[in-house]
Amino acid sequence: MDQNSLPPIQTTARDDAVLKALVGFVGAEALRPGEKLPTERILAERLKVSRNTVREALTRWEGLGLVERRQGSGTYLKAAVSPDMLHMPLTLSGGNDFTSLMQTLEIRRALEAEAAALCAERASPADIAEIERKLDIMEQAFRTRDGMSAEEDWEFHQAIYRVSGNPLFEQIIAAMHELFHRFWEHPLGVRDFGHASFPYHRTIYECIAARDPQGARAEALKLIATVEDDLKRGAAKLKLSSQT
Amino acid sequence: MDQNSLPPIQTTARDDAVLKALVGFVGAEALRPGEKLPTERILAERLKVSRNTVREALTRWEGLGLVERRQGSGTYLKAAVSPDMLHMPLTLSGGNDFTSLMQTLEIRRALEAEAAALCAERASPADIAEIERKLDIMEQAFRTRDGMSAEEDWEFHQAIYRVSGNPLFEQIIAAMHELFHRFWEHPLGVRDFGHASFPYHRTIYECIAARDPQGARAEALKLIATVEDDLKRGAAKLKLSSQT
DNA sequence: AGTGGTCCAATGGTCCAACCAATTTCTGCA
DNA sequence: TGCAGAAATTGGTTGGACCATTGGACCACT
């Protein structure tokens, strides 16, 4: 017997219905990110449901990062929503130990190389100019602030992900990035962390500008390799110093 | 000045506090996935908060897939939780269109190749035997059921991810996989979808068994390439047939 | 022993009516 | 006109009530 011939029936789904109605509303009103949604009280009244139900639905959206609630102000759209959108919560097993950081780097190595290659294939002249601009900003920040250019560095990489044409790269690598930096504030004694990766930003850019996917991939791999080296050095030093 | 030295004070964060307490509870009781959490009413009483607040917190967890609520029965843990865990909601714009599927494949291409290479580096003899076992099962299913071996196929790949030693591969690729299959039931008229990828499973295995990372990477790329081809063929056929 | 029926307590789902806390807007005084 | 304080707005929380579903206990009948 085909087990699929008797699917479980759907009995109640109030809050789901609320979300569906909200999707329709956002579409009908052509709301864009940053704009304000109707009040919870108004939604409850219009949809003929309790305010609690509205809140449960909005809590779901907030958890997905689709919406931001500001007490006293209102609820604001944070990302575009459309009927055919897929939300996939990914839970990454954390752990602030060395192993976890290396694991995030392994993921990032794979994605960073692919994104750089795709970027080199698909970049328009305007894209290349934009990436060069980010590179210049980063290099200047690096020089004037003696290597403290994490913000600008990250923006350079993000520009590459965007040009790759696949938003998943930015989303997934951003998660790795956050995971990495959550234990990064001053985790290890490596003061010059990231310095070694500096020159590869320009070589990556040059490969992209030259439309050389394989070159871009290779340079991206070198960049990640320097970060892995830094991490290993830091871990070794930490291990040494913790031997009481 | 370090901006992190003055974190914003937390005036209200009831439901967040509830979640933190719940994490502690799960840890203290060593709850495993599938086990039942305390009743909402009990949680509300113990934590000295309203039941609605408890519900908002649980709604968050439900949205992240950490927990499952069954009316009349209870709330059940669905995944392991630990204090330092990162929850990343992935939002894939688009839907069932060709572009979205190709995007998931681009991610999978990058990760699949890296995982296969790492697997070839790190596999123990026992690991190799396990992978071969999965391969045999899959090949037999493929032959006896005329190519309908999606389940066994997937288990073969999962074995590789596990042996890679990095659980992130399995988690992220699983997300891509689910995304891909959500529109896969019979989306396109390609009846023999996946047939072309069949031989590469064995070549990947052989490279792993031979401890040949670069070979494994290359074969994995070939496998993904066949899937991309199938997808393109299906999309072309669909486009053709929809020209009424 | 097994089958089906009925009842009941437990549990999540929804609702209501308030009040609290943060924010925004308005108002009236200097 | 400028601005401090009051008032309205809005999300956050509370407590209590009832509904719908679940799962077990119990029972009658076969």
Side-chain angles (χ1 to χ4, degrees), chain B residues 189-244:
Chain B
V190 188
R191 185 62 187 77
D192 61 343
F193 184 84
H195 276 210
S197 72
F198 177 72
Y200 295 109
H201 289 81
R202 181 156 284 277
T203 59
I204 290 176
Y205 161 73
E206 284 167 356
C207 289
I208 291 173
R211 305 298 176 91
D212 174 10
Q214 291 316 312
R217 182 190 302 272
E219 296 303 316
L221 288 176
K222 289 183 197 169
L223 189 153
I224 299 290
T226 68
V227 180
E228 288 185 351
D229 276 349
D230 280 350
L231 182 56
K232 284 177 190 165
R233 285 215 327 274
K237 187 186 284 189
L238 197 66
K239 197 170 187 180
L240 220 72
S241 68
S242 71
Q243 289 178 345
T244 51

Side-chain angles (χ1 to χ4, degrees), chain B residues 11-228:
Chain B
T11 160
T12 52
R14 292 292 246 224
D15 47 0
D16 241 8
V18 169
L19 284 187
K20 205 178 295 183
L22 218 42
V23 169
F25 176 82
V26 171
E29 300 285 316
L31 285 190
R32 310 184 48 75
E35 294 195 64
K36 197 170 146 190
L37 266 64
T39 307
E40 294 180 351
R41 291 173 171 85
I42 293 184
L43 285 176
E45 181 191 358
R46 292 275 204 285
L47 298 174
K48 293 294 179 197
V49 296
S50 157
R51 192 181 147 217
N52 272 337
T53 305
V54 171
R55 281 184 63 63
E56 289 239 346
L58 287 179
T59 300
R60 275 185 162 65
W61 269 17
E62 192 186 25
L64 289 168
L66 289 182
V67 113
E68 179 183 353
R69 292 148 112 173
R70 287 208 288 271
Q71 183 174 168
S73 177
T75 304
Y76 298 84
L77 208 56
K78 226 171 115 185
V81 308
S82 70
D84 45 7
M85 223 168 21
L86 178 62
H87 307 293
M88 172 185 62
L90 276 187
T91 301
L92 180 59
S93 59
N96 67 3
D97 59 356
F98 171 73
T99 306
S100 299
L101 294 184
M102 280 303 283
Q103 288 177 351
T104 66
L105 274 182
E106 282 175 2
I107 299 293
R108 192 169 166 188
R109 176 173 56 195
L111 296 180
E112 194 91 30
E114 189 76 14
L118 286 175
C119 176
E121 280 180 17
R122 299 172 177 171
S124 71
D127 292 332
I128 293 175
E130 170 70 6
I131 294 174
E132 185 176 20
R133 202 175 64 81
K134 299 282 188 188
L135 176 64
D136 289 340
I137 294 175
M138 182 220 127
E139 286 185 341
Q140 184 179 348
F142 184 89
R143 294 202 178 91
T144 60
R145 294 209 304 271
D146 188 32
M148 306 299 286
S149 55
E151 267 311 313
E152 293 80 2
D153 183 303
W154 178 234
E155 285 199 11
F156 169 75
H157 287 287
Q158 280 180 308
I160 292 179
Y161 310 146
R162 265 191 288 276
V163 173
S164 79
N166 187 340
L168 293 178
F169 281 108
E170 183 172 1
Q171 289 188 47
I172 299 178
I173 300 181
M176 297 299 112
H177 189 257
E178 186 184 330
L179 218 47
F180 194 87
H181 273 68
R182 185 174 299 195
F183 310 111
W184 197 244
E185 300 316 302
H186 317 277
L188 320 170
V190 188
R191 185 62 187 77
D192 61 343
F193 184 84
H195 276 210
S197 72
F198 177 72
Y200 295 109
H201 289 81
R202 181 156 284 277
T203 59
I204 290 176
Y205 161 73
E206 284 167 356
C207 289
I208 291 173
R211 305 298 176 91
D212 174 10
Q214 291 316 312
R217 182 190 302 272
E219 296 303 316
L221 288 176
K222 289 183 197 169
L223 189 153
I224 299 290
T226 68
V227 180
E228 288 185 351

Side-chain angles (χ1 to χ4, degrees), chain A residues 167-179:
Chain A
L168 290 176
F169 281 107
E170 184 173 0
Q171 289 188 46
I172 299 177
I173 300 181
M176 297 299 112
H177 191 257
E178 185 185 329
L179 201 53

